[in-house]
Each structure stands twice: as structure tokens, then as C-alpha cells.
Amino acid sequence: LAALGLALTGCQSLPGGGPEGDETGSLGVEQQAGPADTYVDLAIGYLQEGDVATALKRAKYALELDPNHAKGNGVIALIYERLGEDSLAAKHYQASLRRDPRNPYMLNAYGAFLCSQGDYDQAVQQYDKALENPLYSTPEVALTNAGICLRLAGDLSRAESYFRRALERENRFPQALAQMALVSQDRGNSLSARAYLERYLAVGPPSAELLWLGVRVERQLGDNKAADLYAKRLLETYPDSQEVQLMQESNYR
């Protein structure tokens, strides 16, 4: 969802050229509205309201007016990804980035798409390209997404390095705190997992995954009272979750 919102607000319709060596791309270029922009904006509005069918129609019409429209291709890529049309999503992500190759928001969105496809190396490359843009206002998002992708790939050491960089940028960024709690536990450091989990809970709502993490961490650290509190909260908040089933299967008392 973060990638979706940032891509929609950040992607420009102009080519990402600029002076030689300038990494700012379209973010450093004055915008000029074209005939397709109105329909792209309508597509964005419908997509944000959940009307995917109408959003797709408006995006298609925008691309009839301007097939190379960077923002239009980016929006329709997001729509096709939501619809499970992965080959079409990939085609339009690539078309958007051919037009605007340094747009960090679309690079982040394309990275998230590649990561969801299991193409972890290529995904991290897109995130790294996004981070090269000095005008990228939320690098902690791409840093955290890169870390998530590396964690999925099993590279916990590199994943942790990206999460730490995200927290250097924004020390209360909830997603990075949550991921540091999870990767700390993956690496067998329950004390670190506890610390990051507590920091996360001060700024973000608990998910079933994180509450279950709290149960396991406190059990491993010998604080049964704290483990009971996490377990109670998990049962009350997410009674039908997979995490409750896992807790019950672990013979938790």
C-alpha cells in the first residue's frame, strides 16, 4: 500500500533525462500537463476508492492518448498487478521506467512487484536505483522494502543492514522497527527482538505476526507474565488467525 500511494503521487509524465550525471530525473524537471493527465488522475482517484474496473478504463484511455505516458503506464501497471495480470503489469512498469528511469517512487513500486514474483536480486537493484535519487523524500520506504526482500531471500545479514539504514533515516519508522524485531528473532537475538518490538508498539498497531513474536520472545527470555499478556491480546484481537493456531499447536499455557 505504501508503494502504491507513493508511486501514484510521485510519478511524473515527463522524461527522466536532465543534465548528464543528474540523478534527480523527473523530480528535478518542471511539470507540463498533457491531454492524458486528466484521465490518469481520474484513474488514480477511482483506484484509491477501490473501483478497479473504472480505474482501468480511464488508464487505458489515457494510454490511447499517449502510449508513452510515464505516470499512465505506472498506474495501469499497479492496476494489472492488483488484478493478478503479472505479465501486463511487468510490461507497463518497464514502459513507465523507460520514460522516467530515475523516478524513485516507481522504482520502489517495481521493486515491490519483482519481490512478490520471487525475483529478489532484481528487486533490490530497483530499490538501490531509487535510493540514488537525492530528491527521493522517503528513502526509508525503499530501504525497508529492500530489507524485506532480502529477508525473504534468506540473506538476514544484508536485510538487517537495510533496516538499520532505514532507521538511521527515520528512527520511528514502524515498518523498519517491525522488521528489525522479526529479523533479530530470525538471527536468534531475543533481547534485540524484544527491544525493537517494544519500540514498534509505541508507534504502530500490533499485527497477529508481531503479537505471536512477542509470545515467543518472552517465553524464550523467561518472562511468562509478559508472554501471557501477548497471548491474551493475540487471542482477543485475532482469534481466527494462523498465529493463534500456531500458538495452540505449540502447547502454549
Side-chain angles (χ1 to χ4, degrees):
L1 289 174
L4 173 65
L6 289 171
L8 293 182
T9 57
C11 194
Q12 309 295 323
S13 61
L14 293 178
E20 188 69 26
D22 184 351
E23 295 293 343
T24 63
S26 63
L27 299 189
V29 179
E30 188 71 27
Q31 288 182 266
Q32 296 176 359
D37 287 284
T38 298
Y39 291 96
V40 173
D41 291 341
L42 286 170
I44 291 170
Y46 283 115
L47 185 58
Q48 291 174 332
E49 292 173 1
D51 188 347
V52 179
T54 305
L56 180 60
K57 292 175 184 176
R58 298 297 181 269
K60 283 182 175 180
Y61 189 63
L63 292 181
E64 287 178 12
L65 294 172
D66 182 358
N68 296 317
H69 196 283
K71 191 173 181 180
N73 274 291
V75 170
I76 205 167
L78 291 161
I79 294 170
Y80 280 131
E81 182 179 357
R82 180 175 291 190
L83 293 172
E85 298 282 355
D86 294 337
S87 61
L88 286 171
K91 170 187 171 183
H92 286 285
Y93 275 125
Q94 291 160 9
S96 177
L97 288 168
R98 279 195 299 272
R99 178 72 171 175
D100 193 1
R102 296 172 185 166
N103 187 290
Y105 304 99
M106 192 51 63
L107 286 164
N108 180 70
Y110 186 41
F113 170 75
L114 290 171
C115 190
S116 73
Q117 301 297 302
D119 195 348
Y120 304 127
D121 290 340
Q122 285 295 319
V124 174
Q125 287 183 29
Q126 303 308 308
Y127 295 130
D128 285 339
K129 287 179 184 177
L131 294 166
E132 291 173 1
N133 193 318
L135 294 182
Y136 185 21
S137 63
T138 54
E140 64 273 13
V141 174
L143 286 164
T144 301
N145 285 344
I148 291 170
C149 209
L150 288 164
R151 181 169 173 250
L152 289 170
D155 192 341
L156 300 183
S157 179
R158 284 184 68 203
E160 182 174 336
S161 73
Y162 275 89
F163 296 142
R164 288 188 182 279
R165 287 170 62 193
L167 291 171
E168 288 172 4
R169 168 73 187 195
E170 175 50 69
N171 64 8
R172 291 169 61 86
F173 188 54
Q175 290 85 350
L177 290 170
Q179 289 299 321
M180 273 300 295
L182 292 164
V183 81
S184 294
Q185 184 69 358
D186 289 343
R187 302 191 75 184
N189 191 339
S190 296
L191 279 172
S192 177
R194 171 197 269 173
Y196 281 108
L197 179 57
E198 289 175 350
R199 285 175 62 185
Y200 170 81
L201 291 173
V203 296
S207 65
E209 180 182 27
L210 291 177
L211 292 173
W212 173 225
L213 174 66
V215 173
R216 290 178 287 133
V217 164
E218 296 303 340
R219 287 168 68 182
Q220 289 167 4
L221 293 174
D223 191 337
N224 292 326
K225 183 177 180 180
D228 287 344
L229 290 174
Y230 278 116
K232 182 174 184 290
R233 196 169 180 183
L234 176 59
L235 284 165
E236 290 177 348
T237 311
Y238 303 101
D240 300 320
S241 66
Q242 181 183 10
E243 286 75 12
V244 166
Q245 183 179 347
L246 289 170
M247 184 172 66
Q248 292 170 339
E249 291 173 354
S250 71
N251 297 318
Y252 175 78
R253 295 290 185 270

